[in-house]
């Protein structure tokens, strides 16, 4: 019988036990990296988000909002 785990659990399994330096390297290697890295960053962000108090969540949302106000999104094209 095959073992099935969800994506979150697979990512947690992959990063569990890594040093802080390893985690930093994983994050820095994923930022602006291949799109396949985005689910991993999302799962890591979710873990951090759950541990932040409401004020820190608000500050993070404000930081994101301010960043988005300063950039112009590129065009969205479909790949066929």
């Amino acid at each position: 019988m095959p073992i099935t785990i969800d994506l979150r659990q697979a990512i947690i399994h992959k990063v569990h036990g890594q040093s802080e330096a390893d985690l930093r390297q994983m994050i820095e290697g994923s930022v602006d990296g291949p799109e396949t890295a985005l689910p991993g960053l999302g799962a890591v962000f979710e873990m951090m988000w759950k541990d932040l108090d409401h004020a820190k969540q608000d500050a993070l949302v404000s930081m994101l909002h301010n960043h988005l106000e300063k950039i112009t999104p590129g065009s969205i094209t479909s790949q066929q």
Side-chain angles (χ1 to χ4, degrees):
M1 172 180 248
I3 298 174
T4 305
I5 60 175
D6 66 31
L7 185 57
R8 282 181 182 91
Q9 288 303 312
I11 292 164
I12 291 169
H13 184 343
K14 183 175 180 175
V15 299
H16 187 266
Q18 291 190 0
S19 69
E20 288 184 13
D22 291 337
L23 292 171
R24 175 179 284 278
Q25 183 178 14
M26 183 271 301
I27 292 167
E28 289 177 349
S30 297
V31 172
D32 292 328
E35 288 193 6
T36 56
L38 294 178
L41 287 176
V44 170
F45 176 81
E46 181 181 62
M47 284 187 273
M48 294 184 304
W49 181 265
K50 288 179 178 181
D51 284 344
L52 293 174
D53 62 42
H54 191 72
K56 289 180 181 175
Q57 288 176 342
D58 286 346
L60 190 55
V61 169
S62 180
M63 182 188 316
L64 175 60
H65 182 263
N66 289 336
H67 181 77
L68 290 169
E69 290 278 310
K70 295 175 186 173
I71 64 171
T72 302
S75 65
I76 299 175
T77 59
S78 61
Q79 299 291 326
Q80 295 179 343

